[in-house]
Amino acid sequence: MSFKRGIWNGDFLRALEALAQQDGWWKDVLADPSLIIGVRDDYLNIYWQGQSIFKVSFKGGKVAASTHEKYLLNPDLKDQISLVEGKFAFGEAEPRMLTRDYEGAATLAKLKRAASLYSGQEKEGVHEIATSNPSVVDVEIAINASGIPDIKRNLPRMDLANFEMTANGVDLVFWEAKTFSNRELENGKIVDQIKDYRTVIDLHQTEIDKSYRCVAENLADMARWSNDRRSVAAAIRAVKGGAKLNVNSANVGLLVYDYTADQSDRKDKSGKTLKERVTESLAEVGVGQERIKFKGTPRGLTI
């Protein structure tokens, strides 16, 4: 199967629910809605600004968590370290250079600060959009394009997926996010990228539908375990309850942010703004204006 999402292992789900009742990192994650829980193929990624600060899996009948070593470097370090005869004299600084123990929400906050050092404008924007739109069900979405003619195997990941209530059920909408200064908006690569996304979505509709039905159930369960610290949008509840989920390649859109009014109004030699040029280019591949959103800041960008 080229695309699979969801925690299908009942033992894993029960272990996560039990762990949520105990003080510790998982209870803290659930209580922090600024963190994004990315449901994968029987494992989780916990995201902060595009960085996975925890990978959560099920091993030997127990919930197992890991983090990248770079997030354990103390982000609060400020002092100078002397270089003496070819060796760094760490002295009293050495014991506090690494986060060695998980000591509650303060440690989680420290991991987030460390992860922020590896983020950037685009990822920060995606995080802001995802955490302010409760209908978002996924981030960093990769669909295997191996063996599909004229599409690169390493097709870039789509940034966001959300559920959208309609008169005919719930639409699954995928979004690509770009900062205004991203060259791909000008050189045509964004058009090719969205065309490729639409092709792979068409080829994997059944897998995508099955996956996101499971994800909806998982997210609803986690919201319940969080004692309502995490909210679940009506569209997610609807899919969990059996509503029709519409997986259609037409539902791929573009989000553009991080620009000033002067940048937005700037026109090229033909008298067109960047938004006008991008809208025209995407219209040629069937992307309607309702799936193209420009906003100076990602804050308050509604999808």
Side-chain angles (χ1 to χ4, degrees):
M1 182 178 286
S2 297
F3 187 84
K4 188 179 180 183
R5 287 282 197 273
I7 305 300
W8 301 88
N9 185 329
D11 290 338
F12 188 10
L13 287 171
R14 285 186 285 274
L16 286 170
E17 182 175 13
L19 192 61
Q21 312 310 312
Q22 305 170 28
D23 290 339
W25 66 270
W26 177 233
K27 186 175 183 179
D28 292 341
V29 165
L30 290 173
D32 185 351
S34 73
L35 290 171
I36 298 168
I37 300 177
V39 181
R40 302 297 176 241
D41 180 8
D42 268 324
Y43 71 94
L44 306 172
N45 285 129
I46 311 302
Y47 287 104
W48 173 255
Q49 295 184 349
Q51 310 301 308
S52 176
I53 62 171
F54 285 121
K55 180 180 180 180
V56 186
S57 56
F58 193 60
K59 297 179 180 179
K62 295 181 179 180
V63 176
S66 62
T67 190
H68 195 286
E69 58 190 3
K70 64 187 178 185
Y71 304 137
L72 297 178
L73 183 63
N74 186 347
D76 300 325
L77 294 173
K78 298 177 181 178
D79 295 341
Q80 293 286 313
I81 302 295
S82 298
L83 178 61
V84 181
E85 296 181 355
K87 295 183 181 295
F88 289 103
F90 292 108
E92 295 181 358
E94 189 165 10
R96 53 188 170 84
M97 294 185 74
L98 294 176
T99 300
R100 301 177 185 276
D101 300 300
Y102 187 85
E103 299 176 335
T107 302
L108 186 59
K110 186 178 289 187
L111 293 177
K112 289 161 65 175
R113 292 199 303 277
S116 294
L117 300 175
Y118 300 93
S119 189
Q121 274 188 309
E122 193 166 287
K123 294 298 184 184
E124 290 171 7
V126 169
H127 192 89
E128 173 66 33
I129 295 165
T131 53
S132 60
N133 286 273
S135 62
V136 168
V137 293
D138 206 0
V139 295
E140 300 284 338
I141 306 125
I143 302 179
N144 189 351
S146 178
I148 302 175
D150 301 322
I151 295 182
K152 295 179 180 179
R153 183 174 182 177
N154 58 340
L155 182 65
R157 297 175 181 179
M158 290 177 280
D159 291 298
L160 294 151
N162 78 299
F163 286 169
E164 187 176 289
M165 295 288 286
T166 71
N168 189 35
V170 177
D171 284 352
L172 173 63
V173 186
F174 294 103
W175 297 93
E176 179 63 17
K178 303 288 186 189
T179 56
F180 191 86
S181 59
N182 192 307
R183 292 182 180 180
E184 293 180 357
L185 297 174
E186 290 278 18
N187 62 21
K189 285 188 177 181
I190 185 60
V191 177
D192 294 335
Q193 201 171 334
I194 288 181
K195 281 174 60 179
D196 290 347
Y197 288 153
R198 296 176 76 168
T199 298
V200 296
I201 290 168
D202 275 339
L203 290 172
H204 300 295
Q205 280 186 339
T206 301
E207 301 159 26
I208 293 171
D209 179 282
K210 183 178 180 181
S211 290
Y212 282 109
R213 287 189 176 281
C214 185
V215 168
E217 292 188 17
N218 296 157
L219 293 177
D221 284 342
M222 292 175 200
R224 176 169 52 83
W225 302 339
S226 76
N227 293 320
D228 297 324
R229 296 293 296 273
R230 290 180 173 270
S231 60
V232 177
I236 297 175
R237 293 196 299 271
V239 172
K240 181 180 184 296
K244 180 183 179 183
L245 182 60
N246 304 310
V247 180
N248 189 318
S249 63
N251 289 326
V252 179
L254 173 67
L255 307 172
V256 181
Y257 47 84
D258 276 335
Y259 57 88
T260 65
D262 286 343
Q263 288 175 307
S264 177
D265 294 339
R266 192 176 301 151
K267 298 180 179 181
D268 65 1
K269 293 180 180 179
S270 68
K272 295 177 181 178
T273 64
L274 177 63
K275 181 178 181 179
E276 290 169 338
R277 299 195 299 275
V278 169
T279 300
E280 287 182 3
S281 297
L282 290 178
E284 294 176 4
V285 294
V287 179
Q289 292 189 25
E290 74 280 3
R291 293 291 181 228
I292 303 171
K293 296 178 182 284
F294 276 65
K295 193 173 187 298
T297 170
R299 186 178 297 276
L301 203 166
T302 303
I303 57 175

